[in-house]
Amino acid sequence: MLLLRHCPRLSRLCYGSHRAAVPAVIASARFSRDSDQSHVRWSRRWTHATAGLLAGTGAVLAYALHHHQAEQADVSLPSPPSPPPSSPSSWSVFSQEEVSRHRSLEDRVWVTFKGGVYDITEFVSMHPGGDRIMLAAGGAVEPFWALYAVHNQEHVLEMLAEYKVGELRAEDQKKQSLNPSDPFSADPDRHPVLHINNMKPFNAEPPPQILTESYVTPNVFFFKRNHLPVPQVDPATYKLHVEIQGPSGSARRGIVSLSLDDLKNKFPKRTVTATLQCAGNRRSDMHNAKPVKGLNWGIGAIGNASWSGASLRDVLLAAGYAPDDALWARHVQFEGLDQDVGGTTYGASIPLRKALSEDGDCLLAYEMNGEELPADHGFPVRVVVPGTVGARNVKWLGKIVVSDVESSSHWQQNDYKGFSPSTDWDTVDYKTAPAIQELPIQSAITVPADGAKVDRSDEELTLKGYAWSGGGREVVRVDVSVDGGKTWRIAKLKGDEAGSPPPGQAWAWKLWELTVPLPADTQQLELVCKAVDSSYNMQPDAVLPIWNLRGVLSNAWHRVKVTIKDDQDE
């Protein structure tokens, strides 16, 4: 209910047709309280199945996901009414820390809503959306209800009221005031479903099962990779400076300044659907094999979006780039408006040939999935370099320089480079390795999750995941194994509905799916996936041969272990 989803398998949850009329949902509860009001005990008898509760939710969810107007939980949907008053009049008071301890069935599942604390453990198994309800465990349900607006109904609130166990402490109900001494104090709000790898600067990824629910990743769920505080940029005064630098030692040719209105009105608007992936995606796999330094990303530091803006090529030509400049120019440098307390800004560069290629599709993007670029993703303008590592897709873009040398930025010269497994922190020399640009072939299993348990009575198992390759190389096949790689099946690929892209311009991922029968002679499954691109590049089968001290370029076969439960295991 809390994360209600329209699902083709709802019949197995005994909710009947989604077209059924919505009946009343009746629950009776018996409460008994200790004298100190610190514990609640109750028993419930459901007197009517919640059949038909999903009537009309498909349209609601489509609206919620694709017309979400903000990169935060406080969206412009009608505020749900408060739950009806419930007895007794005095409740136990809990801190957010206490609530957050209740995140599993073993510890009981608590959530908060409008200042109330609710123990929904008994409802988890009946939730029409399955275990997605656990995403809200230990925290507030408002951000999820904002996405799934069907919850904003009286009968839902009446059901929730039956599970109330207390009130949230007043201090925790108030939004913390901004700390002016904290450079991150003005960072935007983020959706609580994101798994946080680092709070300051903010770095987070979505749960795997959400990642491949749609071909285009909703903005709120797109992974966040920030190196510095999110800058506050006034779009009315924003200026992008574009410079043709000239060969080393020669005079600069002047700087062209463009406003946001200039980018929107003086250049044709172009749209490209492209996948961005962090160089550290799946770093946790490497770390599990041998410790590495870096944020412990899972498989979610990747996302696919529709980007719109001005062509980088068009802007460079308008700024004065001429064919003769190719005699000396080799790189295009980007500098962001994000900076540390010392004024150092984030920077990166890409090869000039990529920036100027008509087929390179590089954008100065001001829209993401048809909406204004969100703050965490570079508002008002960012570079989108399709097929290239996320680190070169500079956000909050302030300056572009055509040069004969790479960016001198730390993140270009002393990070985001690959090394031999034999290289350690005593012997590493960043000058000996090129900066990562195009990324290698990649794939991962998003459903089921590692460690999941499935019922043998299900008889079959559906696997889902994503696959992508850098440089515009199209994914042509995904092989899947349920026995650790001994035998293989070919998954069904799901790409853009518009059809196959031109050769060399496959910027977007492929989602894949495969349904297999559950083997009768085993209790444990080792699921494996590996992808193949149009150049017949394939993923390596093991992590250690590609291990490197920074944990980048992690693209070995992805492995997930699943347990099959027999009826007698219940």
Side-chain angles (χ1 to χ4, degrees), residues 8 25 84 112 135 203 272 428 480 534:
V25 180
T112 65
L135 296 173
N203 291 274
V272 175
V428 64
V480 179
S534 55

Side-chain angles (χ1 to χ4, degrees), residues 449-465:
D450 189 38
K453 296 180 180 180
V454 298
D455 294 324
R456 188 173 297 281
S457 59
D458 290 345
E459 297 183 352
E460 60 184 22
L461 176 65
T462 296
L463 294 81
K464 298 180 181 181

Side-chain angles (χ1 to χ4, degrees), residues 192-359:
V193 76
L194 297 175
H195 173 74
I196 299 173
N197 291 314
N198 195 69
M199 182 60 74
K200 297 179 182 182
F202 190 80
N203 291 274
E205 61 188 300
Q209 67 268 33
I210 285 181
L211 188 59
T212 51
E213 283 191 341
S214 59
Y215 178 70
V216 171
T217 310
N219 294 354
V220 290
F221 297 146
F222 207 99
F223 79 96
K224 321 296 185 209
R225 176 59 175 114
N226 297 337
H227 297 82
L228 299 163
V230 175
Q232 304 300 296
V233 184
D234 182 354
T237 59
Y238 169 80
K239 292 292 184 181
L240 172 63
H241 304 292
V242 186
E243 178 182 326
I244 310 299
Q245 194 172 64
S248 296
S250 65
R252 297 184 178 183
R253 300 227 307 256
I255 298 176
V256 175
S257 294
L258 299 170
S259 67
L260 182 58
D261 283 342
D262 289 335
L263 290 173
K264 290 183 176 181
N265 299 318
K266 293 184 178 181
F267 301 92
K269 180 180 179 179
R270 303 178 186 276
T271 298
V272 175
T273 300
T275 295
L276 296 188
Q277 180 182 223
C278 179
N281 191 33
R282 296 185 58 198
R283 179 179 280 128
S284 58
D285 289 348
M286 276 196 181
H287 185 77
N288 291 338
K290 183 180 176 182
V292 297
K293 290 185 178 181
L295 298 174
N296 201 36
W297 293 104
I299 64 172
I302 186 172
N304 192 48
S306 175
W307 309 93
S308 297
S311 164
L312 174 59
R313 182 177 188 274
D314 290 348
V315 170
L316 292 179
L317 293 176
Y321 178 85
D324 288 348
D325 292 326
L327 296 175
W328 58 267
R330 295 292 181 270
H331 306 274
V332 177
Q333 303 174 5
F334 306 114
E335 185 177 300
L337 295 173
D338 49 331
Q339 56 185 303
D340 62 19
V341 292
T344 299
T345 60
Y346 183 84
S349 58
I350 62 172
L352 177 69
R353 59 178 176 76
K354 172 65 176 178
L356 287 177
S357 170
E358 293 188 56
D359 298 333

